[in-house]
Amino acid sequence: MTPEGSVVLELDDIQSGVLRPRPTPYVATYIVLRIDDRNAGRELMRRVSSVVTSAANPTGPLADTWVSVALTYQGLKALGVPNDSLGSFAWEFQQGMAARAKELGDTGDSSPENWERPLGSRDIHVVLVTVSPTEQQHEAALERARKTYHEMRGIEAIWRQDCHALPNEKEPFGFRDGISHPAIEGSGIPGTNPKEQPLKPGEFVLGYPDELGGIQRTQPVALGRNGTYVVFRKLHQRVAAFRQFLKANSTDPADEELLAAKIMGRWRSGAPLALCPFYDDAELGANRQHNNDFLYEEDDPAGFKTPGGSHIRRTNPRDAHVAGVVRLHRMIRRGTAYGPVLPEAVLEDDDVDRGLMFAFVGAHLGRQFEFVQSQWINDGIFFGAGDAKDPIVGSNNGAGSFTVPRRPVRRRLQGIHRFVVTRGGEYCFMPGLRAMRWLADLHT
Ligand code: HEM
């Protein structure tokens, strides 16, 4: 605590990937490891603790080039973490993502039996993530990561996903991404919406007070402190199908762009409908000082500018009147794109895998990630839209609908299909640096 009573985060013990937005542009790789021998796993933790970058020192030589490490519940078990410690972690984490499929809307094409192997299996133990601004720096980061497990008996690299920035920070549907992030008290890292009060650190890091005054603790406390939960999801994007949908439901190219913006809540440039409802403004879209500086309630309660059902208003209703307390469901996102861009104007599916490695960071899996995914994305009751799901990332099945409030009559689109398919994912725990050494020193 400072003399003024505000909390100071121990940034030198918190992994960089928890608090710092990823560099822009970026090159990233996810590597999944299986631990076949607990002593090898502990040695891995020892080595990893010396290559992982902390959130302190944002101007240091490795500030933009990270290696992060996260463990699944099965991974903690494989290290021989005692049962009373295992039982002190969040219940959803103990279950693992595949077991939560129904709640997350991972059904049909997205259901775990259709996931890319070995995702969803009990073999996913450790996830290493390397992120750098350039290919060249990335080679160095990958080499640092590789050294922690290479030629180590008892550790097997079983899955890898390479990711990279697309031009203009866009995600594969063509919208600028990585714009809106919450501010966190005591982190010194600014948020992006000057109208949002910083959130209590316990919303994102274990061991600190959260918005409800509670503190998430594990057994022992040192294991959880300065750690957090991370959700990884490989989300395949049906870009051609999304383009076909836009075309089929618009009268001309300008109308098509407006519909795309109504669905997202932002124009493809990143400019928010809340600030420019009629025309795109590419300059505003790229302006980090202004492109997230807005609320909804005062001048757009009915969603004439930003529909209540659009992706960004659902996933962060800000001050809009919805059931529930928005500040309890905020999330840190770290999306990275994978796969080649579908060339502009192509409407036929080329069968190439492309999408987003979606990562959520937060201390409350249940009331943050799972709540947003199940209530705000896959239901519409919270803002009075019945069972209408998120039009772009929801688990729609061909019967989905989306309403664009309009005068004199609203516009209602029907027959929305699923544009985003889950290919796999997992719930992980991202330990603090000291906790990694605690794991390395286990003697069970
Ligand atoms: C492939 C799937 C997805 C795509 C293409 C996508 C795309 C986007 C884009 C373009 C933005 C606007 C830019 C920004 O504010 O950074 C955004 C914002 C956001 N998305 Fe997604 N998203 C996806 C999945 C998800 C999922 C699964 C969740 C939550 C479980 C989510 C939560 C959010 C949140 C919280 C925001 C910020 C809203 C705000 O503060 O205004 N997104 N997304």
Side-chain angles (χ1 to χ4, degrees):
M1 290 264 190
T2 63
E4 300 80 47
S6 61
V7 172
V8 176
L9 282 165
E10 294 167 353
L11 295 179
D12 58 349
D13 195 40
I14 300 173
Q15 295 195 46
S16 208
V18 175
L19 296 175
R20 299 220 170 271
R22 57 161 166 65
T24 305
Y26 60 84
V27 187
T29 299
Y30 284 73
I31 299 166
V32 170
L33 306 174
R34 186 184 66 225
I35 300 171
D36 294 326
D37 173 293
R38 65 171 56 171
N39 288 319
R42 292 167 185 179
E43 174 59 16
L44 171 74
M45 285 300 115
R46 196 185 59 72
R47 294 186 190 179
V48 156
S49 71
S50 64
V51 300
V52 160
T53 4
S54 82
N57 200 6
T59 52
L62 294 178
D64 267 354
T65 306
W66 317 325
V67 178
S68 306
V69 65
L71 293 119
T72 63
Y73 180 71
Q74 297 301 331
L76 292 177
K77 267 174 106 170
L79 285 176
V81 170
N83 281 338
D84 58 338
S85 294
L86 289 172
S88 67
F89 281 89
W91 177 82
E92 299 84 356
F93 170 72
Q94 296 183 39
Q95 302 289 301
M97 188 184 284
R100 306 290 296 151
K102 208 167 133 245
E103 289 73 14
L104 299 177
D106 286 338
T107 52
D109 293 351
S110 290
S111 69
E113 65 262 25
N114 295 322
W115 285 4
E116 204 173 297
R117 294 294 156 218
L119 301 179
S121 77
R122 296 165 83 88
D123 283 353
I124 311 294
H125 292 166
V126 177
V127 181
L128 291 177
V129 187
T130 55
V131 189
S132 326
T134 65
E135 289 281 356
Q136 202 184 14
Q137 282 163 295
H138 198 61
E139 247 336 289
L142 267 178
E143 192 46 36
R144 265 162 63 211
R146 223 179 274 127
K147 275 193 182 142
T148 64
Y149 64 88
H150 196 54
E151 289 179 1
M152 202 197 292
R153 287 172 64 141
I155 304 289
E156 205 63 50
I158 56 172
W159 190 79
R160 172 177 172 151
Q161 179 67 58
D162 291 316
C163 305
H164 51 265
L166 301 178
N168 295 326
E169 301 172 53
K170 303 234 163 149
E171 51 69 42
F173 287 135
F175 296 91
R176 183 187 291 272
D177 201 1
I179 297 174
S180 178
H181 304 291
I184 304 159
E185 218 178 275
S187 72
I189 302 164
T192 53
N193 181 358
K195 296 185 167 62
E196 182 181 47
Q197 284 297 313
L199 286 133
K200 296 283 178 212
E203 290 297 305
F204 301 106
V205 188
L206 304 189
Y208 296 87
D210 63 23
E211 287 286 317
L212 294 171
I215 297 181
Q216 296 265 310
R217 291 195 179 93
T218 55
Q219 166 59 36
V221 170
L223 174 57
R225 182 153 179 102
N226 292 324
T228 192
Y229 295 105
V230 184
V231 173
F232 298 110
R233 274 163 91 71
K234 180 171 177 179
L235 299 177
H236 167 74
Q237 293 177 235
R238 291 178 167 156
V239 177
F242 181 61
R243 287 181 187 170
Q244 285 167 22
F245 174 79
L246 293 179
K247 199 164 260 321
N249 288 285
S250 53
T251 49
D252 56 53
D255 190 40
E256 195 175 322
E257 282 312 291
L258 179 63
L259 177 57
K262 290 286 181 187
I263 285 174
M264 179 54 72
R266 290 184 185 271
W267 300 90
R268 292 189 205 252
S269 72
L273 287 174
L275 300 180
C276 47
F278 304 115
Y279 304 100
D280 193 0
D281 178 346
E283 214 171 289
L284 173 64
N287 186 329
R288 288 174 194 278
Q289 254 60 50
H290 297 295
N291 64 9
N292 201 35
D293 187 357
F294 60 91
L295 296 173
Y296 295 119
E297 193 52 34
E298 199 173 310
D299 67 337
D300 191 24
F304 286 115
K305 293 181 181 173
T306 314
S310 63
H311 179 62
I312 68 159
R313 189 156 170 170
R314 279 172 171 270
T315 51
N316 178 14
R318 301 181 187 219
D319 64 333
H321 281 153
V322 293
V325 179
V326 171
R327 288 174 70 80
L328 299 183
H329 312 297
R330 299 288 286 119
M331 34 203 293
I332 295 179
R333 291 167 304 128
R334 303 259 180 269
T336 43
Y338 72 88
V341 186
L342 183 68
E344 224 169 288
V346 172
L347 293 173
E348 289 309 309
D349 191 3
D350 59 359
D351 264 344
V352 172
D353 193 13
R354 58 174 62 82
L356 213 60
M357 276 302 288
F358 172 87
F360 150 88
V361 177
H364 300 275
L365 280 177
R367 72 165 157 83
Q368 293 171 327
F369 171 69
E370 286 206 349
F371 181 91
V372 173
Q373 177 71 27
S374 63
Q375 304 300 306
W376 286 357
I377 287 184
N378 283 331
D379 208 328
I381 282 182
F382 72 102
F383 74 104
D387 58 1
K389 302 179 199 305
D390 187 313
I392 189 162
V393 314
S395 59
N396 288 298
N397 57 4
S401 66
F402 175 60
T403 302
V404 183
R406 217 175 42 170
R407 291 187 186 92
V409 276
R410 66 180 185 185
R411 179 165 188 215
R412 199 167 157 82
L413 293 130
Q414 310 270 16
I416 300 182
H417 286 268
R418 193 192 277 268
F419 299 124
V420 172
V421 180
T422 312
R423 290 263 201 250
E426 198 42 280
Y427 287 166
C428 299
F429 166 62
M430 219 170 166
L433 275 68
R434 282 196 296 271
M436 280 177 221
R437 293 191 280 273
W438 185 92
L439 291 166
D441 289 343
L442 278 168
H443 290 294
T444 50

